[in-house]
Amino acid sequence: MWDDSLIKWLIFMFMISGDALYQLKLSLGAPANQLIDWNPSHVDPCTWSNVICDNNDQVTSVTLSGMNCSGTLSSKIGILNTLTTLTLKGNGITGEIPKEFGNLSSLSSLDLGNNRLSGEIPSSLGDLKRLQFLTLSQNNLTGAIPESLSRLQNLINILLDSNHLSGHIPEHLFQIPKYNFTGNRLNCGANFPQPCESDNSDSGASNKPKIGIIVGIVGGTIILLLFVGLLFFVCKGRHKGYKHDMFEDVAGEVDQRIAFGQLKRFAYRELQLATDNFNEKNILGQGGFGKVYKGVLQDNTKVAVKRLTDFESPGGDAAFQREVEMISVAVHRNLLRLIGFCTTPSERLLVYPFMPNLSVAYRLRERKPEEPVLDWARRKRVALGAARGLEYLHEHCNPKIIHRDVKAANVLLDEDFEAVVGDFGLAKLVDVRKTNVTTQVRGTMGHIAPEYLSTGKSSERTDVFGYGIMLLELVTGQRAIDFSRLEEEDDVLLLDHVKKLEREKRLDDIVDCNLNEHYNIQEVEMMIQVALLCTQASPEDRPAMSEVVRMLEGEGLAERWEEWQHVEDTRRQEYERLQRRFEWGDDSSYNQLAIELSGGR
Ligand SMILES: *[C@@H]1O[C@H](CO)[C@@H](O)[C@H](O)[C@H]1NC(C)=O
Ligand SMILES: *[C@@H]1O[C@H](CO)[C@@H](O)[C@H](O)[C@H]1NC(C)=O
Ligand SMILES: *[C@@H]1O[C@H](CO)[C@@H](O)[C@H](O)[C@H]1NC(C)=O
Ligand SMILES: *[C@@H]1O[C@H](CO)[C@@H](O)[C@H](O)[C@H]1NC(C)=O
């Protein structure tokens, strides 16, 4: 059985590293067109660009070189104690190096070269026991080199050239194989016993291998040229018109297009025109997979164009097309239909019909004051419609499609306010080339099933969990994870919050106050019961989507609910026992951390 504290721990692990990186992005003032996928609601920072994680989903490398970030460094980054490589060179970063950098205890390479950093080198850098490469060249650093750097036993490369450093250099640093202190006012060079840069006497020796390499390259090239020339003659002999062959290749591509049937392949130019060159004004939203733009095609059809970011590099083009085709065969009233797609070497775009009433999340939480509240009757229809859409994906598609990010923001509303599930199939589409490697956890904090978060394995039942949380969003109008609830000593996770109120039989306090008491309390109770069944910690206990549909239609809920209450009671007693033992829930550092995170946003 899944333990709540484990789930919380995992969520907070992701939140901590994601938050630290997001703070870094904010403080660096990354230009709008950079790091767009560094999005705090996107659960796992390991899926972000320029971030690399190890097999345990711990962030190990962050590389942001030459990105034109002109802000400052964030001290929050100090929390990433699994980071081994941090490269921020050539950005024009200003301000000081935060002393919290000394907390990056796994760091082996730190490159802050070619920025505009000022102030002194913090002596805390002497705590980076694993550090091998330290580059602070070409900045505006002042003061002396801290004595603490002598403690860095593993250092093999230290470059501090072209700063305003002055004074004594710790003796130990001259023993490092490669050092450079030139372009400062340090005690080295002509008037001192030690030179300012490491002696490169081995460079003479290294010339010999270089000559060898050059000879090798030249020789190799000649042989290659001869070989190519020979091949050319052979080919020419066989096919006189090999230019003609090339044309045949292109024709083959056209045939492939016809095989796509109804799915339209758009030209990039067409979508550029439709969206006014991806004008910021036309952005409908930004999800985990990229931005969505509103557009109008030449025949006046309104469309939504999804511009995927962070997909695996090209080469996977054929695989991409296969996945796109797979998505396009899932046709159901409650599923967002794919109209077409577009690929270029650097872009992947998907074209969907435009949904005039946007998303359920928008209607619940972001609507303009003059727009009407999503009334109870519509919420019930959304619940049923979304359930039917997911049932179709799970039970009527072959191969079945796991959505992996079911939430109110991904359930759209057509002109009749009928629920239309969007964004399905994308997780696989983006990870096409990683299918036999570990798939990254994709989804949204607070909506992710515990087993998916901890093992990275998704199934229909992880979607059922997400669906259950979506039902809670529908009833409460609230977010799945909300730090502001902490201020009222309440639970951060919507699920915990609802469970508590349900236990205390305070159903009316659960319901969205925007409904102004226009709802049927029996129906509310039923929806909450279905939601709690769907969000059970262990995946086997959750109902299948087809059962959910039946329960929403009033069949078989009572028995399952009784069973749930019994299981839940035992589970809660167990949890409370654990809590007393570890004093988890009362742990002030845990709550303090949560408060800090919410304040930081
Ligand atoms: C960096 O920013 C400056 C000023 O905003 C701009 O002129 C320049 O083109 C940018 N460089 C890159 C590589 O984006
Ligand atoms: C991080 O560094 C600061 C200053 O160097 C220190 O006060 C703080 O205790 C450190 N935090 C952790 C978690 O090690
Ligand atoms: C570098 O620092 C010095 C002394 O603090 C200051 O006078 C100078 O303007 C700085 N230069 C740049 C490019 O920031
Ligand atoms: C040391 O730094 C100076 C100034 O940045 C540079 O010109 C020189 O080539 C560097 N020396 C070595 C050995 O890297």
Side-chain angles (χ1 to χ4, degrees), residues 27-75:
S27 72
L28 282 179
N33 60 341
Q34 304 272 26
L35 305 183
I36 40 182
D37 60 338
W38 285 34
N39 173 348
S41 72
H42 189 167
V43 63
D44 179 358
C46 301
T47 62
W48 297 1
S49 56
N50 305 63
V51 175
I52 297 175
C53 293
D54 63 11
N55 292 335
N56 300 320
D57 268 327
Q58 307 275 14
V59 178
T60 57
S61 162
V62 174
T63 306
L64 308 173
S65 314
M67 284 208 161
N68 231 356
C69 305
S70 51
T72 57
L73 296 171
S74 160
S75 60

Side-chain angles (χ1 to χ4, degrees), residues 449-464:
E451 77 280 3
Y452 184 29
L453 201 53
S454 58
T455 66
K457 284 210 186 81
S458 59
S459 70
E460 299 98 299
R461 303 297 159 107
T462 50
D463 281 356
V464 173

Side-chain angles (χ1 to χ4, degrees), residues 558-591:
E559 305 86 77
R560 282 198 82 135
W561 179 245
E562 208 161 295
E563 207 178 304
W564 183 89
Q565 279 173 310
H566 179 71
V567 173
E568 178 67 11
D569 273 348
T570 340
R571 196 199 63 88
R572 196 160 46 80
Q573 279 159 16
E574 174 73 2
Y575 177 49
E576 277 165 7
R577 195 179 57 76
L578 271 173
Q579 198 172 12
R580 274 195 301 277
R581 217 161 109 206
F582 298 115
E583 296 188 326
W584 178 271
D586 309 325
D587 186 345
S588 56
S589 65
Y590 162 81
N591 283 337

Side-chain angles (χ1 to χ4, degrees), residues 222-387:
I222 291 170
I223 291 170
L224 197 73
L225 279 176
L226 284 174
F227 183 70
V228 168
L230 199 71
L231 211 68
F232 181 77
F233 277 110
V234 170
C235 289
K236 221 177 170 186
R238 280 211 193 145
H239 305 273
K240 283 208 176 111
Y242 89 101
K243 231 178 176 178
H244 176 73
D245 278 353
M246 273 170 65
F247 272 104
E248 265 182 11
D249 269 346
V250 175
E253 211 172 277
V254 171
D255 289 342
Q256 204 180 14
R257 279 184 223 177
I258 294 163
F260 272 96
Q262 296 171 325
L263 200 58
K264 186 167 176 336
R265 183 171 201 147
F266 288 89
Y268 186 67
R269 182 82 195 126
E270 222 172 330
L271 299 181
Q272 245 183 336
L273 281 174
T275 57
D276 191 9
N277 200 13
F278 300 101
N279 197 316
E280 299 273 315
K281 283 204 310 278
N282 289 328
I283 292 183
L284 287 170
Q286 178 164 18
F289 301 101
K291 289 183 180 165
V292 185
Y293 296 81
K294 186 180 171 174
V296 183
L297 297 179
Q298 258 165 341
D299 63 357
N300 276 333
T301 325
K302 286 188 181 163
V303 291
V305 179
K306 186 156 214 126
R307 197 179 192 183
L308 300 179
T309 47
D310 179 32
F311 53 84
E312 279 295 290
S313 53
D317 210 56
F320 179 83
Q321 293 190 11
R322 238 185 356 260
E323 287 300 330
V324 164
E325 198 176 18
M326 209 79 89
I327 296 173
S328 75
V329 285
V331 179
H332 185 274
R333 176 162 178 33
N334 298 109
L335 294 175
L336 188 61
R337 186 169 56 88
L338 185 65
I339 301 177
F341 69 104
C342 165
T343 62
T344 76
S346 59
E347 297 268 4
R348 296 274 193 277
L349 300 134
L350 298 173
V351 183
Y352 295 101
F354 175 70
M355 290 289 126
N357 285 310
L358 305 176
S359 72
V360 172
Y362 175 86
R363 290 289 143 191
L364 290 176
R365 296 186 288 260
E366 292 144 43
R367 73 190 158 89
K368 301 195 185 81
E370 67 271 18
E371 290 173 330
V373 174
L374 195 61
D375 63 35
W376 181 248
R378 280 184 176 154
R379 291 188 200 207
K380 277 195 309 181
R381 259 177 63 207
V382 166
L384 193 57

Side-chain angles (χ1 to χ4, degrees), residues 10-227:
L10 276 162
I11 290 178
F12 277 98
M13 284 313 289
F14 278 145
M15 288 229 62
I16 289 163
S17 47
D19 188 71
L21 290 174
Y22 188 65
Q23 294 305 325
L24 178 70
K25 169 181 164 175
L26 292 185
S27 72
L28 282 179
N33 60 341
Q34 304 272 26
L35 305 183
I36 40 182
D37 60 338
W38 285 34
N39 173 348
S41 72
H42 189 167
V43 63
D44 179 358
C46 301
T47 62
W48 297 1
S49 56
N50 305 63
V51 175
I52 297 175
C53 293
D54 63 11
N55 292 335
N56 300 320
D57 268 327
Q58 307 275 14
V59 178
T60 57
S61 162
V62 174
T63 306
L64 308 173
S65 314
M67 284 208 161
N68 231 356
C69 305
S70 51
T72 57
L73 296 171
S74 160
S75 60
K76 285 241 178 180
I77 198 94
I79 216 157
L80 295 175
N81 56 9
T82 54
L83 198 63
T84 60
T85 305
L86 179 60
T87 304
L88 300 169
K89 68 175 175 216
N91 275 305
I93 302 169
T94 55
E96 302 197 358
I97 302 173
K99 60 180 181 322
E100 285 78 5
F101 270 49
N103 293 352
L104 295 166
S105 52
S106 305
L107 206 62
S108 79
S109 170
L110 175 63
D111 189 347
L112 303 175
N114 196 1
N115 282 297
R116 283 185 285 140
L117 293 165
S118 53
E120 300 194 1
I121 299 174
S123 65
S124 62
L125 293 191
D127 300 335
L128 300 174
K129 291 196 179 56
R130 307 245 174 99
L131 201 63
Q132 294 183 295
F133 299 88
L134 175 63
T135 306
L136 304 174
S137 319
Q138 300 180 50
N139 275 294
N140 204 8
L141 296 166
T142 52
I145 299 175
E147 201 62 44
S148 64
L149 295 191
S150 314
R151 295 203 304 262
L152 298 172
Q153 295 299 326
N154 292 314
L155 212 53
I156 49 178
N157 195 324
I158 181 168
L159 307 177
L160 306 179
D161 50 282
S162 303
N163 276 291
H164 300 296
L165 298 166
S166 54
H168 171 73
I169 299 175
E171 201 56 35
H172 174 77
L173 299 186
F174 291 110
Q175 266 117 59
I176 292 172
K178 188 157 197 266
Y179 61 82
N180 195 346
F181 305 123
T182 56
N184 286 293
R185 277 173 287 124
L186 287 160
N187 299 351
C188 61
N191 305 325
F192 296 93
Q194 304 279 14
C196 285
E197 41 189 312
S198 50
D199 155 32
N200 287 320
S201 56
D202 62 339
S203 65
S206 71
N207 271 344
K208 272 179 206 155
K210 264 187 206 153
I211 290 166
I213 289 169
I214 291 168
V215 169
I217 289 174
V218 172
T221 311
I222 291 170
I223 291 170
L224 197 73
L225 279 176
L226 284 174
F227 183 70

